[in-house]
Amino acid sequence: MERRGQPAVQVPSLDGVTRERFLRDVYPRISFSAIVSLSLPPQREPVVLKGMELGPCTTKWTVDYLSQAAGSKEVKIHVSAVPQMDFLSKNFVYRTLPFDVFVRRAAEIKHKDYFLSEDEKYYLRSVGEDVRKDIADIRKQFPVLAEDVQIPEYFEKEQFFSSVFRISSAGLQLWTHYDVGNNMVSIKCCGWHCGVMDNFLIQVTGRKRVVLYSPRDVPYLYLSGTKSEVLDVDNPDFEKYPLFVKAKRYECYLEAGDVLFIPALWFHNVISEEFGVALNVFWKHLPAECYDKSDTYGNKDPTAASRAIQILDRALKTLEELPEEYRDFYARRMVLRIQEKAYRNDYG
């Protein structure tokens, strides 16, 4: 497909990566020469990990097995009459179904029983039993299924935050976003988002296409909160979103058994090309004091960032006291000062 803008950069893939190699070659800061010589991604960029030992889930998790293992437990799901879910316009509805009924419907292309239309799309992302207090953790919400999964232990146990179980219909696309640990305010299926914690997207069954954008491209993504207003990343409306052409597109395809490392703050847009089951594992990579201790959902900015945003809001409010010409002048000076003091010099 021909696209305007920068050509897509393929997310690098690595085979058989051990914990030691991940921490040595992928996760820490390494020199550019090491990246080139070892064909490794720079630190804090996505990478697809292949050949990981994930347990029997990749072969066991058929529709029949999932239906039997999790039974008739009721789950809250997203239902959309169109493939492209949009969290901003909320073109979907929430419904509740027994898990076994939901799985069979999600695996269908046409439905005899449906809520909106015979070709509606379904999406599940697990939440805690009490969404106000409990994190998403497959070991608690789906304990039988959790026994089939071997989560790569590439972080310390005390860093673990959540494990979000996901099932999506073929063709479903979620809005572009960045992730939060419990995904209470952003969803992934196909669409975009980004998050404040590092995470592994474990593709257990099915196939996904993932398009990612670096945090440095925030000025071109037309954000509303954690989500981008640009829904169709393949055929964007450049008249409405002219700066989007400058955003550098990273892309990969995940097959069953692949694990995508998504660094914190990276935006991603995901299309489920087949009915599929996935698991997101989030962990806190910053020191514990950087996170809000009252944050049950994992959807709050780091405490220092929250304070800085509050101060900026107060500064902008103060600028409103000036005439327009002066307000514009001092706002531009503030932007230049932020660029000088806070922007990284090694971002191209």
Side-chain angles (χ1 to χ4, degrees):
M1 179 186 299
E2 232 182 275
R3 284 187 293 261
R4 279 178 58 191
Q6 301 188 37
V9 176
Q10 279 305 119
V11 175
S13 296
L14 297 174
D15 287 305
V17 175
T18 62
R19 173 190 170 102
E20 291 71 25
R21 189 184 178 199
F22 180 78
L23 295 177
R24 183 189 71 229
D25 296 337
V26 177
Y27 208 58
R29 184 174 299 280
I30 55 179
S31 67
F32 182 76
S33 59
I35 294 167
V36 173
S37 62
L38 297 175
S39 299
L40 296 172
Q43 183 205 26
R44 313 234 34 91
E45 290 201 353
V47 60
V48 177
L49 306 175
K50 291 183 170 290
M52 305 288 285
E53 179 51 60
L54 300 175
C57 57
T58 54
T59 54
K60 283 180 72 174
W61 283 9
T62 63
V63 171
D64 288 340
Y65 175 78
L66 290 169
S67 300
Q68 181 182 8
S72 58
K73 166 188 172 129
E74 289 204 333
V75 289
K76 189 175 183 179
I77 59 174
H78 300 68
V79 183
S80 176
V82 296
Q84 203 168 61
M85 271 194 194
D86 177 6
F87 191 81
L88 296 176
S89 67
K90 292 189 170 53
N91 64 347
F92 56 85
V93 296
Y94 293 105
R95 293 292 183 266
T96 300
L97 282 175
F99 181 83
D100 52 351
V101 175
F102 155 71
V103 169
R104 295 190 182 282
R105 282 206 203 176
E108 298 171 343
I109 301 300
K110 296 286 185 182
H111 314 292
K112 291 183 179 177
D113 298 312
Y114 52 84
F115 296 107
L116 304 174
S117 67
E118 64 177 5
D119 55 356
E120 64 192 15
K121 304 296 183 184
Y122 297 87
Y123 174 65
L124 165 73
R125 61 100 170 85
S126 62
V127 295
E129 297 301 326
D130 184 336
V131 296
R132 295 167 298 178
K133 296 189 291 188
D134 301 330
I135 63 167
D137 188 341
I138 190 174
R139 296 169 298 184
K140 296 178 180 177
Q141 284 92 50
F142 298 92
V144 175
L145 296 178
E147 293 177 3
D148 299 331
V149 185
Q150 185 176 320
I151 295 174
E153 295 183 349
Y154 289 7
F155 49 89
E156 300 303 322
K157 282 183 167 52
E158 59 269 21
Q159 291 178 285
F160 171 84
F161 184 77
S162 65
S163 53
V164 183
F165 181 57
R166 304 178 187 276
I167 297 179
S168 54
S169 296
L172 183 65
Q173 181 176 7
L174 293 187
W175 50 92
T176 304
H177 62 288
Y178 68 83
D179 288 324
V180 290
N182 215 26
N183 248 14
M184 296 304 295
V185 297
S186 62
I187 310 272
K188 180 190 309 181
C189 206
C190 171
W192 1 0
H193 58 264
C194 95
V196 297
M197 297 183 193
D198 288 343
N199 83 89
F200 283 142
L201 170 55
I202 301 171
Q203 189 64 30
V204 181
T205 70
R207 188 173 193 260
K208 277 191 175 80
R209 188 199 73 176
V210 186
V211 174
L212 304 104
Y213 295 91
S214 164
R216 73 195 72 174
D217 282 341
V218 159
Y220 317 132
L221 299 182
Y222 296 89
L223 296 187
S224 177
T226 62
K227 292 160 282 294
S228 170
E229 295 179 10
V230 185
L231 293 179
D232 190 343
V233 297
D234 296 314
N235 298 286
D237 183 344
F238 287 116
E239 288 191 7
K240 188 174 182 181
Y241 307 113
L243 294 179
F244 187 68
V245 73
K246 297 183 179 182
K248 187 175 183 179
R249 175 188 178 115
Y250 295 75
E251 185 174 287
C252 64
Y253 288 85
L254 300 181
E255 308 288 348
D258 288 347
V259 178
L260 174 61
F261 167 56
I262 305 177
L265 307 180
W266 275 73
F267 292 81
H268 40 292
N269 179 292
V270 186
I271 293 180
S272 296
E273 297 202 332
E274 302 170 349
F275 165 77
V277 184
L279 184 68
N280 265 122
V281 180
F282 295 86
W283 68 91
K284 299 178 179 181
H285 67 287
L286 299 177
E289 59 269 21
C290 292
Y291 297 98
D292 188 329
K293 292 181 174 58
S294 67
D295 185 11
T296 308
Y297 299 150
N299 61 5
K300 294 184 179 180
D301 293 313
T303 51
S306 295
R307 292 198 305 272
I309 291 171
Q310 290 170 4
I311 293 168
L312 176 60
D313 286 341
R314 289 199 294 271
L316 293 172
K317 186 71 175 175
T318 303
L319 284 181
E320 292 178 6
E321 299 172 13
L322 294 170
E324 183 179 8
E325 183 179 358
Y326 284 77
R327 184 167 67 244
D328 179 88
F329 172 74
Y330 285 103
R332 291 177 188 275
R333 282 190 59 185
M334 289 169 62
V335 169
L336 290 173
R337 187 162 180 78
I338 291 172
Q339 290 177 334
E340 175 189 354
K341 296 295 185 180
Y343 279 27
R344 283 177 54 173
N345 293 325
D346 57 345
Y347 272 7

